[in-house]
Amino acid sequence: LADGEVTLQSALWSEDTQIMVDCLRKLGFMVKVEADPEEFCNRTITVGGLGGKIPNAGTREKPLELFVGNSGTAARFLVAFVALGNGVYRLSGVPRMHERPQAALFQALRQLGYRVDSPNDRMPAIVQGAGPRPGVCQVSIEESSQFASALLMCSLVAGWHVEIVGENVEESAYVYMTREMCS
């Protein structure tokens, strides 16, 4: 989303992080990963941002495939992000990922005018990116605060106004922190 390079230092090199790096590279972003001299399980990750533009996309006949494994974080953030692209993206994961909730995020994107196809509002899903499209949506955080965080992070570039509904006592602090960072 940033315009230019962003460097994350001491990033945990977990399966979720590795999946996100792989997906960003598949989307066409420059991502450099270097060992962290202070901690063997961390990395310094540099991402070349393009101000919300996504270099690679697929077509309706051949969507760009993004495999998110069992990373709910990568899945949710990427679903919102690829809506800003201009093309078709298919997100899938391991069988357990296909059982995890996504409906609140998919419905919010549909309210914003994006096409999200999924037989049961879970993964796998096909997202038709249509670029930034100002609009208003509501998203519930009852199942996960990541739905709101994903939308809020993209909102400045996309022109979205995100109304958050529902309660999630354990996770609502993440939403409000994301809102502050994105405003």
Side-chain angles (χ1 to χ4, degrees):
L1 291 168
D3 193 11
E5 285 190 1
V6 173
T7 300
L8 307 169
Q9 296 179 325
S10 300
L12 177 63
W13 193 237
S14 67
E15 182 179 0
D16 283 8
T17 312
Q18 293 170 37
I19 285 170
M20 183 62 97
V21 165
D22 290 345
C23 287
L24 288 174
R25 285 177 173 158
K26 194 156 194 180
L27 289 167
F29 291 93
M30 180 285 299
V31 182
K32 184 168 71 173
V33 178
E34 300 174 307
D36 185 325
E38 302 296 319
E39 178 62 54
F40 76 95
C41 62
N42 290 351
R43 301 291 184 272
T44 297
I45 303 172
T46 303
V47 180
L50 300 172
K53 293 178 180 67
I54 300 175
N56 295 340
T59 63
R60 186 171 300 284
E61 297 77 29
K62 188 173 181 187
L64 182 69
E65 296 279 342
L66 298 172
F67 181 76
V68 298
N70 194 32
S71 176
T73 305
R76 292 164 182 158
F77 288 98
L78 287 167
V79 164
F81 182 55
V82 298
L84 301 178
N86 287 300
V88 183
Y89 307 86
R90 182 179 183 276
L91 291 92
S92 65
V94 299
R96 174 66 182 116
M97 187 71 233
H98 296 178
E99 297 170 1
R100 295 174 69 181
Q102 306 291 339
L105 177 57
F106 293 174
Q107 290 167 4
L109 287 168
R110 290 177 186 129
Q111 289 171 19
L112 292 164
Y114 296 95
R115 183 172 178 171
V116 181
D117 296 324
S118 169
N120 59 2
D121 272 343
R122 299 181 189 273
M123 298 278 174
I126 296 176
V127 179
Q128 173 73 53
R133 176 183 287 184
V136 177
C137 68
Q138 279 190 343
V139 64
S140 172
I141 62 169
E142 287 182 15
E143 291 181 298
S144 174
S145 65
Q146 291 177 342
F147 303 142
S149 294
L151 293 164
L152 288 169
M153 285 199 293
C154 294
S155 66
L156 282 177
V157 171
W160 300 336
H161 177 76
V162 180
E163 297 175 9
I164 300 165
V165 298
E167 287 191 35
N168 185 326
V169 176
E170 293 178 5
E171 297 188 357
S172 61
Y174 296 116
V175 172
Y176 298 106
M177 191 169 35
T178 304
R179 183 181 289 181
E180 290 299 313
M181 291 173 15
C182 297
S183 58

